[in-house]
Amino acid sequence: MASFGTPDSHTPSERVPVRVLGGPTALFEYGGLTFLTDPTFDAPRTYPVPGGELVKTAPAAAAPAELGRVDVVLLSHDEHPDNLDDSGRALLAGIPLTLTTPSGARRLGGAAQGLAPWTSVDLDRPDGRTVTVTGVPALHGPEELGVEEVEATVGEVVGFVLTSSDLPTVYVSGDNASLDRVREIAARFGPVDTAVLFAGAPRVPVFDGALLVLDSAQAAEAAAILGARRVVPVHCDSWAHFTEGHDDLVAAFKAAGLDDRLQAR
């Protein structure tokens, strides 16, 4: 299993060590299990997509062979290469469980399991306790268009909340652009200890260039809504269609008086 540091740290956040690998990909340990978000490990390249292309500009901070054992992949969706690329797909074949959208699980097959919003799966921890992973709502486009129109264009997306009897709550947003969804999640699970927030303000020609994921100011607002003790930003580098980066996040969190919650790179 990957090594992240001291497991018996004094503050709750330190008990959920998170390693950011680039793009939407992060590795963290929770309850003795190792989780990987949206695996993207291809070298920089251009991907043709309907209506244009997506350009990856930087490599991941580690190769799949360097990760150690991964127990679970939390895959927000499988249809876009900036969330699951060729190397990520190859990696899934060796992972015991991939949790993703119901439609994604049907496409991927194998060890993929779909989680509709507000459904849960219990995972056995090495110490005999359990980790509960709950699928939570996410919307990969403008709120005003509604779920049906957004999903018809870009597909369905799911986020995740991880809970366990003796551990702090972790939220992984996935490619979500809706603060209303964040409010729903906070009402059920808040405050959360660690929020892994996908940001980067990505824009492409669909939806007239509207945001597909939170921008930096919205990420700061999401942190406040969640009452998050710590925010780990991902999905804000390594791709040309991400229009805001880490410096923008730092500025937005500082403006909101929340910069002490933002995990340093």
Side-chain angles (χ1 to χ4, degrees):
M1 182 173 290
S3 175
F4 297 87
T6 305
D8 296 320
S9 302
H10 297 293
T11 65
S13 294
E14 291 169 348
R15 292 164 55 194
V16 187
V18 182
R19 181 184 179 193
V20 177
L21 300 177
T25 310
L27 190 70
F28 65 92
E29 186 178 336
Y30 188 83
L33 301 174
T34 301
F35 294 81
L36 180 71
T37 66
D38 289 22
T40 53
F41 293 99
D42 288 353
R45 54 172 283 197
T46 297
Y47 300 83
V49 296
E53 62 185 24
L54 298 181
V55 180
K56 186 173 185 179
T57 59
E66 299 171 322
L67 301 181
R69 176 179 172 82
V70 175
D71 298 294
V72 183
V73 167
L74 302 176
L75 177 60
S76 70
H77 61 301
D78 67 305
E79 297 181 87
H80 302 147
D82 59 324
N83 296 89
L84 181 67
D85 61 14
D86 295 341
S87 298
R89 288 180 184 274
L91 177 67
L92 295 186
I95 305 300
L97 177 64
T98 295
L99 298 175
T100 189
T101 63
S103 61
R106 292 191 293 270
R107 284 186 292 269
L108 293 169
Q113 178 175 334
L115 277 184
W118 312 123
T119 63
S120 300
V121 60
D122 290 333
L123 309 178
D124 293 332
R125 290 170 45 172
D127 63 4
R129 302 182 189 185
T130 60
V131 168
T132 299
V133 182
T134 302
V136 293
L139 187 67
H140 199 8
E143 186 86 57
E144 59 271 18
L145 293 182
V147 174
E148 289 187 6
E149 185 171 346
V150 170
E151 290 189 352
T153 303
V154 296
E156 64 176 340
V157 177
V158 67
F160 307 92
V161 170
L162 284 71
T163 54
S164 196
S165 60
D166 62 327
L167 294 173
T169 300
V170 174
Y171 167 54
V172 178
S173 73
D175 273 7
N176 174 53
S178 168
L179 288 173
D180 282 348
R181 281 9 179 227
V182 174
R183 292 184 184 95
E184 292 178 31
I185 293 159
R188 296 202 186 201
F189 290 101
V192 306
D193 181 75
T194 297
V196 181
L197 293 184
F198 289 39
R203 300 176 188 272
V204 297
V206 300
F207 305 134
D208 295 323
L211 286 171
L212 299 178
V213 183
L214 301 177
D215 65 17
S216 299
Q218 290 171 329
E221 187 173 351
I225 292 167
L226 293 161
R229 179 194 297 263
R230 175 181 58 157
V231 172
V232 181
V234 298
H235 199 275
C236 55
D237 58 40
S238 305
W239 291 85
H241 63 295
F242 296 176
T243 64
E244 295 182 3
H246 195 269
D247 289 346
D248 298 294
L249 280 161
V250 171
F253 273 70
K254 186 173 182 178
L258 302 173
D259 49 314
D260 61 328
R261 304 189 195 185
L262 198 63
Q263 174 171 295
R265 299 174 72 177

